[in-house]
């Protein structure tokens, strides 16, 4: 199963000899962690050999990240650990922090989820990689600088294309994640821990970063602990797979076998949720609802110098789009293709530079007092269930916000009844109206966001990456909920996602966008089975997918 | 960077021109005629008229404005109505006290605030943090003139280490410095308290950032991560406060100047206002506006130096 280039003496990479029984490079025995009196990890036992990829998966709060941080010795203050953590012959859990500092970055490397915030914004990327080297090696700065540039080239950032003198804000998300990886592997650690390294990236970049990590592990003989909530990411890459639930490992084994024939009910539920496709009720779309023709949006780029001609960035370049009453449309594309810019224009949030948008026959105009009657026909649900609510308001008040668009908003008992109905429509209890928003989980918040969009009975809702931040099981539930809304509310929607695999069951028609244009359009089955445009093929190839169930 | 600099310099010039106009008009509409004020209540009208002509007060407003502005540009600040000496000379004499006092107070407050803020952030919630927070609370609450009096009581009257007030002039630099120590300290301590608190809270925000965790994963200790990645990222709010404090210290030291009997800028303005010495008021206020605008300009440059993301701002 796993290709292990084991070293009997971790830390001495030279003189490796193939061994019949490779000692695990990293080994956890009965690791338990309590934080503030509650157990977050219980009796975790894991082995990771050199050159092996072990995936640690489970839903948010299952303890995946805590396991990673426990190995690094970076648990939050007040955490108490029990059990053994062995890195080769070194027992980590008894080391002091100064001793751990000598190991972190040298024998243990870690890559974090969010490349946008994992780098120091005021330091060049070269200096940040160089820092890892200089902390542990007494090298002249010039030599460390050369080593840092080599490491950056190794992760796909050659100096002639991305000079080490760049700052993080000058790089894309994928490039930043490469820098984070370069910092972690600069000293060729025995163990690399990657905590959701691609969750914040779009599918195309995700595939590239996963390829890079796999190459590094195979070529440098590192052990990789890949923490991810996405089973599809794991499939085909990990040698072994461990599934966590509520602080315990419920199932562990060779990845391919485990995915083909899961034994534990929780694993089966996760896999089913990841494969889940909602069932859309058949519908004959009615008359035209949204008409977009020749839509153009551009914004000015910073000038190179004060007298330079201002250059324009064309985010949306001539989009034509029709959505009929009750029609369910998906829009997919890599990040930066103009999906969200288009959505903002449709919602009347930004002024457009060309083209027209009409909703039910009336033009959608940005700015000065948009017609409330128009506004209430089109509502939106956004990606971040945490950032899209005012934290000071109760759920009832948040949900009834769009009532101000009505000429005669319901008051008193009628208002409460409407709130209760909206909550029931999204599978929540009317009692939740009085609770503050912080009492709800991510999935519940997304339900509340949908309730807020539904309360004034719009004709259409724009779902902008509305399920991208959710765990697989919650995602499946929300997709089912959206599908139900077609039945109960006759709703039309534009479902925007960077992930093709998500949109398959949620649309009658799929639009593929690239560089500001819609490049392909068709029924989901046609798009998935016979993609025409290279952009569509690239998206399909990059999208991680689970192997078909055995039997 | 050059373009940014040119743009900033142009806006600096426009701000100064606007400020000069506002100052001139405000002083113009303020009641009180300098000539009659100088000559007293019983002066004969023709004497007043003669003095007005001599001072140029009988000229039309726009001519007087251009005359004053042209003079300022060439370094000729006019002649004080009351003292009959060049304003430029008076201002220079006062700046010789105020500028070292402000600079000294700023340096001292930074020297105190930097380690205090760092220690408080590094030991959040523990004894050192509580000590710093308690001391800074006190420092903000105490008026600086009262602090000044306490310092005089202890170091001048009781211990006789330092003079209680007055300024001997820079002919004897050692004596001049000694005279500025207590006033600079009285000015610096409350400012240091504010600065330390701003630095602490900025650092605590930064410490929660993910790049600090990345730095720890590279093998930096908590303290090293704080110094190498925390401090520079916390500089923006600190620079903002420093810029504001310098402007304040330059002219706002009037009460401290009064307590220590120092011939500084603050007292010059105060005297000039009470004596309707309009030309002095105008010149000194414009000079202070100039100082504030220049300090803001330097602060902006410091922002850009501290944070690369601000260098490409449109």
């Amino acid at each position: 199963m796993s290709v292990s280039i084991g070293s009997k003496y971790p830390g001495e990479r030279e003189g490796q000899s193939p061994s019949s029984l490779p000692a695990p490079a990293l080994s956890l025995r009965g690791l338990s962690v309590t934080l503030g009196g509650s157990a977050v990890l219980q009796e975790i036992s894991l082995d990771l050999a050199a050159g092996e990829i072990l995936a640690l998966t489970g839903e948010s709060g299952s303890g995946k990240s805590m396991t990673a941080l426990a190995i690094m010795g970076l648990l939050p203050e007040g955490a108490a650990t029990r059990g053994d953590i062995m890195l080769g012959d070194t027992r980590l859990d008894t080391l002091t922090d100064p001793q751990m500092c000598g190991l972190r970055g040298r024998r243990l490397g870690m890559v974090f989820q969010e490349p946008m915030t994992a780098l120091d914004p005021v330091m060049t990327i070269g200096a940040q990689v160089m820092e890892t080297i200089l902390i542990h090696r007494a090298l002249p700065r010039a030599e460390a600088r050369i080593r840092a540039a080599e490491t950056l080239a190794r992760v796909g950032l050659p100096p002639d294309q991305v000079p080490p003198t760049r700052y993080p804000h000058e790089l894309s998300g994928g490039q930043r994640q490469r820098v984070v990886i370069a910092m972690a592997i600069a000293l060729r650690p025995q163990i690399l821990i990657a905590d959701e390294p691609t969750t914040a990236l779009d599918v195309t970049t995700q595939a590239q970063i996963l390829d890079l990590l796999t190459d590094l592990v195979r070529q440098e003989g590192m052990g990789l602990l890949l923490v991810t909530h996405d089973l599809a990411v794991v499939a085909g890459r990990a040698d072994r797979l461990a599934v966590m639930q509520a602080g315990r490992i419920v199932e562990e084994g060779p990845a391919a076998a485990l995915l083909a024939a899961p034994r534990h009910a929780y694993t089966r539920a996760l896999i089913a949720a990841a494969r889940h496709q909602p069932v859309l009720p058949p519908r004959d779309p009615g008359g035209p609802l949204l008409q977009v023709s020749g839509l153009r949006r551009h914004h000015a780029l910073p000038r190179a110098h004060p007298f330079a001609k201002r250059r324009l960035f064309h985010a949306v370049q001539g989009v034509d789009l029709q959505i009929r009453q009750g029609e369910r449309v998906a829009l997919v594309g890599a990040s930066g293709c103009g999906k969200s810019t288009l959505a903002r224009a449709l919602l009347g949030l930004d002024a457009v530079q060309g083209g027209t948008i009409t909703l039910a026959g009336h033009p959608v105009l940005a700015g000065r007092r948009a017609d409330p009657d128009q506004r209430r026909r089109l509502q939106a649900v956004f990606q971040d269930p945490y950032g899209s609510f005012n934290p000071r308001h109760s759920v009832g008040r948040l949900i009834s916000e769009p009532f101000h668009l009505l000429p005669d908003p319901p008051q008193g008992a009628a208002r409460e009844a409407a709130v209760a109905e909206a909550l029931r429509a999204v599978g929540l209890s009317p009692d939740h109206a009085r609770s503050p928003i912080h009492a709800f989980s991510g999935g519940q918040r997304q339900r509340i966001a949908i309730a807020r969009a539904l309360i004034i009975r719009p004709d259409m809702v724009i779902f902008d990456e509305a399920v991208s931040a959710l765990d697989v099981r919650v995602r499946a539930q929300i997709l089912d909920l959206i599908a139900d809304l077609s039945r109960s509310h006759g709703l039309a929607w534009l479902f925007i996602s960077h992930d093709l695999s998500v949109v398959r069951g949620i649309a009658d028609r799929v639009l593929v966008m690239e560089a500001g244009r819609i490049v392909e359009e068709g029924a989901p089955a046609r798009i998935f089975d016979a993609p025409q445009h290279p952009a569509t093929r690239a998206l399909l190839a990059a999208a991680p997918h689970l192997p078909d169930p055995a039997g | 960077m050059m373009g940014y600099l040119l743009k900033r310099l142009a806006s600096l010039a426009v701000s100064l021109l606007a400020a000069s106009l506002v100052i001139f008009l405000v002083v113009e509409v303020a009641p009180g005629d300098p000539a009659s004020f100088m000559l007293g209540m019983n002066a004969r009208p023709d004497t007043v008229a003669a003095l007005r002509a001599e001072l140029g007060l009988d000229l039309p407003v726009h001519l007087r404005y251009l005359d004053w502005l042209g003079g300022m540009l060439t370094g000729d600040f006019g002649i004080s109505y009351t003292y009959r000496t060049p304003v430029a000379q008076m201002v220079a004499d006062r700046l010789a006290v105020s500028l070292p006092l402000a600079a000294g107070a700023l340096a001292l407050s930074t020297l105190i605030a930097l380690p205090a803020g760092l220690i408080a952030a590094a030991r959040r919630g523990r004894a050192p943090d509580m000590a710093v927070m308690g001391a800074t609370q006190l420092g903000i609450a105490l008026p600086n003139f009262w602090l000044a009096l306490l310092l005089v009581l202890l170091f001048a009257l009781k211990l006789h280490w330092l003079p209680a007030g007055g300024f001997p002039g820079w002919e004897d630099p050692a004596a001049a410095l000694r005279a500025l120590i207590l006033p600079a300290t009285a000015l610096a301590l409350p400012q240091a308290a504010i600065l330390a608190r701003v630095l602490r809270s900025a650092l605590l925000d930064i410490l929660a950032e993910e790049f600090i965790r990345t730095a720890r994963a590279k093998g930096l200790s908590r303290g090293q991560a704080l110094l190498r990645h925390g401090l520079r990222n916390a500089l923006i709010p600190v620079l903002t406060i420093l810029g504001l404090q310098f402007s304040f210290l330059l002219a706002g030291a009037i009460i401290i100047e009064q307590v220590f009997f120092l011939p500084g800028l603050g007292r010059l303005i105060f005297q000039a206002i009470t004596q309707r010495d309009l030309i002095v008021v105008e010149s000194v206020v414009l000079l202070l506006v100039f100082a504030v605008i220049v300090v803001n300009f330097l602060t902006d440059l410091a922002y850009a130096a501290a944070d690369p993301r601000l260098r490409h701002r449109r």
Side-chain angles (χ1 to χ4, degrees):
Chain A
M1 57 180 197
S2 68
V3 186
S4 311
I5 315 164
S7 163
K8 256 197 280 187
Y9 307 104
E12 292 164 31
R13 317 219 117 255
E14 300 76 26
Q16 282 177 350
S17 62
S19 161
S20 53
L21 266 177
L26 178 75
S27 159
L28 311 184
R29 285 290 167 271
L31 176 68
S32 298
V33 172
T34 51
L35 191 59
S38 58
V40 290
L41 293 182
Q42 300 183 50
E43 300 290 327
I44 303 287
S45 295
L46 281 175
D47 286 317
L48 175 59
E52 187 186 35
I53 301 178
L54 168 64
L56 194 57
T57 191
E59 288 171 299
S60 344
S62 62
K64 309 182 299 284
S65 294
M66 279 294 165
T67 310
L69 292 175
I71 297 167
M72 292 296 287
L74 290 176
L75 284 170
E77 242 173 279
T81 33
R82 218 180 55 239
D84 300 354
I85 306 171
M86 297 291 293
L87 177 68
D89 301 334
T90 317
R91 187 163 170 194
L92 298 186
D93 54 285
T94 53
L95 296 185
T96 63
D97 192 59
Q99 289 171 317
M100 277 305 286
C101 282
L103 293 179
R104 283 194 287 257
R106 186 166 66 86
R107 294 178 61 189
L108 286 168
M110 184 153 178
V111 176
F112 296 94
Q113 170 173 355
E114 193 43 81
M116 294 295 164
T117 51
L119 293 169
D120 186 339
V122 303
M123 226 176 169
T124 64
I125 57 171
Q128 297 194 47
V129 177
M130 200 164 96
E131 189 177 37
T132 307
I133 300 169
L134 287 175
I135 292 169
H136 301 285
R137 298 259 190 281
L139 285 180
R141 289 184 70 83
E143 201 175 316
R145 189 169 293 124
I146 294 170
R147 293 267 303 264
E150 284 167 3
T151 313
L152 282 169
R154 176 77 186 81
V155 298
L157 301 173
D160 52 330
Q161 285 168 29
V162 185
T165 48
R166 290 274 177 88
Y167 286 95
H169 71 276
E170 299 170 305
L171 272 53
S172 72
Q175 287 174 325
R176 292 188 209 192
Q177 197 62 307
R178 287 174 193 270
V179 177
V180 178
I181 293 172
M183 296 193 301
I185 63 148
L187 295 173
R188 301 179 172 211
Q190 289 144 312
I191 297 294
L192 183 61
I193 299 173
D195 187 0
E196 305 273 8
T198 59
T199 305
L201 305 173
D202 73 54
V203 281
T204 323
T205 318
Q206 162 164 291
Q208 291 163 359
I209 294 290
L210 289 171
D211 286 344
L212 170 65
L213 285 172
T214 314
D215 284 354
L216 286 170
V217 166
R218 303 299 188 216
Q219 287 167 19
E220 316 272 346
M222 285 182 242
L224 173 64
L225 181 66
L226 180 63
V227 175
T228 177
H229 71 282
D230 189 349
L231 280 168
V233 160
V234 165
R237 289 189 194 271
D239 302 307
R240 282 187 305 124
L241 174 60
V243 182
M244 287 192 79
Q245 182 190 21
R248 292 176 191 278
I249 292 183
V250 295
E251 188 163 7
E252 194 207 334
L258 199 150
L259 287 174
R263 292 186 305 275
H264 197 278
Y266 179 70
T267 317
R268 280 201 288 272
L270 280 185
I271 293 174
R275 285 214 182 84
H276 181 80
Q277 300 283 351
V279 181
L280 278 186
R283 252 190 93 81
D284 288 325
L289 175 63
L290 181 75
Q291 292 268 7
V292 177
S293 63
L295 186 69
R296 284 186 294 109
R297 276 278 295 128
H298 57 71
H299 55 259
L301 294 171
R303 292 173 211 254
H305 57 90
F307 307 107
K309 202 164 179 288
R310 216 178 241 306
R311 289 178 307 131
L312 296 176
F313 177 76
H314 296 273
V316 176
Q317 329 192 25
V319 163
D320 297 309
L321 174 67
Q322 289 81 38
I323 296 179
R324 293 191 285 168
Q325 293 279 3
E327 196 184 10
R328 301 149 305 191
V329 179
L331 176 67
V332 290
S335 60
C337 75
K339 303 184 298 284
S340 291
T341 312
L342 176 61
R344 288 183 60 84
L346 297 184
L347 286 165
L349 295 176
D350 290 335
V352 300
Q353 277 74 45
T356 55
I357 307 168
T358 57
L359 187 64
H362 297 280
V364 172
L365 298 171
R368 306 169 305 269
R369 293 207 59 79
D371 182 1
D373 189 50
Q374 282 286 95
R375 273 279 162 84
R376 61 155 271 273
R377 290 173 178 277
L378 182 60
Q379 291 288 305
V381 176
F382 295 103
Q383 171 171 4
D384 182 5
Y386 292 92
S388 48
F389 293 105
N390 183 335
R392 301 176 60 89
H393 292 174
S394 71
V395 167
R397 177 153 175 205
L398 289 168
I399 292 182
S400 53
E401 237 166 2
F403 275 150
H404 75 272
L405 294 171
L406 299 183
D408 181 22
Q411 301 295 338
R415 194 181 185 94
E416 274 173 41
V419 168
E421 191 200 329
L423 281 170
R424 266 194 296 268
V426 297
L428 293 174
S429 152
D431 299 340
H432 286 137
R434 277 182 297 279
S435 312
I437 187 71
H438 61 73
F440 294 89
S441 70
Q444 287 173 319
R445 284 172 188 231
Q446 216 55 333
R447 287 175 189 271
I448 292 166
I450 294 173
R452 172 167 66 179
L454 288 181
I455 198 162
I456 49 171
R457 300 216 152 243
D459 296 326
M460 180 173 164
V461 172
I462 292 181
F463 295 99
D464 190 357
E465 302 279 4
V467 298
S468 301
L470 304 175
D471 278 325
V472 279
R473 286 200 301 177
V474 180
R475 186 173 78 188
Q477 290 161 5
I478 298 289
L479 286 174
D480 280 344
L481 167 65
I482 293 174
D484 277 345
L485 295 178
S486 178
R487 201 172 293 122
S488 58
H489 289 64
L491 202 63
W493 61 69
L494 183 67
F495 188 95
I496 300 175
S497 176
H498 68 271
D499 189 350
L500 253 180
S501 54
V502 172
V503 307
R504 181 159 203 166
I506 202 78
D508 306 312
R509 188 152 57 99
V510 177
L511 311 171
V512 181
M513 198 165 177
E514 189 197 32
R517 293 195 170 85
I518 290 176
V519 295
E520 187 163 3
E521 177 173 355
R526 215 275 290 144
I527 293 278
F528 278 79
D529 300 333
Q532 303 291 315
H533 195 275
T536 317
R537 290 200 201 124
L539 282 174
L540 272 174
H545 60 277
L546 282 168
D548 290 327
Chain B
M1 196 64 200
M2 257 329 271
Y4 176 70
L5 212 61
L6 283 176
K7 212 178 275 186
R8 292 306 322 243
L9 277 172
S11 88
L12 189 136
V14 173
S15 320
L16 274 178
L17 200 65
S20 72
L21 193 60
V22 170
I23 292 164
F24 184 80
L25 288 178
V26 167
V27 173
E28 273 305 305
V29 299
D33 174 34
S36 38
F37 191 83
M38 282 161 70
L39 293 173
M41 302 248 276
N42 302 324
R44 283 171 31 201
D46 57 332
T47 326
V48 174
L51 187 59
R52 284 177 60 87
E54 193 193 329
L55 295 174
L57 292 174
D58 55 345
L59 292 172
V61 174
H62 65 277
L63 282 184
R64 277 190 286 134
Y65 172 65
L66 290 178
D67 200 33
W68 172 64
L69 196 65
M72 292 294 279
L73 286 176
T74 53
D76 172 16
F77 289 17
I79 307 284
S80 158
Y81 298 154
T82 33
Y83 297 104
R84 318 296 299 172
T85 51
V87 177
Q89 188 53 49
M90 293 170 66
V91 169
D93 289 347
R94 300 304 181 104
L95 269 181
V97 178
S98 282
L99 210 54
L101 181 62
L106 198 70
L108 193 61
S109 100
T110 311
L111 281 178
I112 297 169
L114 218 57
L118 275 168
I119 290 168
R123 298 270 177 274
R124 181 188 195 175
R126 306 208 198 120
D129 183 23
M130 300 209 199
V132 168
M133 290 309 278
T136 53
Q137 184 79 62
L138 206 63
I140 291 171
L142 286 183
N144 60 11
F145 61 85
W146 194 67
L147 198 65
L149 292 176
L150 290 186
L151 289 172
V152 168
L153 268 178
L154 181 63
F155 292 102
L157 300 184
K158 190 135 180 108
L159 298 171
H160 300 288
W161 289 356
L162 293 164
F167 189 73
W170 285 102
E171 290 77 32
D172 181 357
L177 282 178
R178 274 165 53 84
L180 290 182
I181 290 178
L182 284 186
T185 310
L187 279 172
L189 288 180
Q191 305 295 327
I194 296 171
L195 198 60
R197 282 181 162 243
V198 169
L199 178 62
R200 173 186 179 271
S201 75
L203 281 173
L204 289 181
D205 283 348
I206 300 290
L207 284 181
E209 295 276 349
E210 291 190 25
F211 62 80
I212 293 292
R213 200 173 57 177
T214 313
R216 294 274 286 142
K218 285 175 173 181
L220 287 178
S221 71
R222 219 179 284 271
Q224 287 170 321
L226 181 73
L227 282 177
R228 290 199 206 174
H229 296 278
L231 194 54
R232 215 177 134 193
N233 277 286
L235 270 187
I236 294 286
V238 170
L239 285 172
T240 309
I241 299 292
L242 276 181
L244 291 174
Q245 288 186 339
F246 187 72
S247 318
F248 164 76
L249 288 173
L250 202 56
I254 176 161
I255 298 177
I256 291 294
E257 286 171 5
Q258 207 68 36
V259 171
F260 288 97
F261 217 73
L262 293 177
L265 265 190
R267 282 179 66 201
L268 178 63
I269 303 178
F270 180 67
Q271 288 162 357
I273 291 173
T274 51
Q275 295 162 349
R276 297 291 182 281
D277 200 344
L278 295 189
I279 188 97
V280 173
V281 175
E282 282 169 353
S283 304
V284 175
V285 170
L286 186 64
L287 201 72
L288 288 173
V289 169
F290 178 71
V292 169
I293 291 177
V294 167
V295 167
N296 283 350
F297 173 65
L298 294 177
T299 312
D300 277 354
L301 291 190
Y303 283 165
D307 191 337
R309 285 168 298 183
L310 300 177
R311 281 171 219 168
H312 300 284
R313 225 171 16 181
R314 266 175 288 169

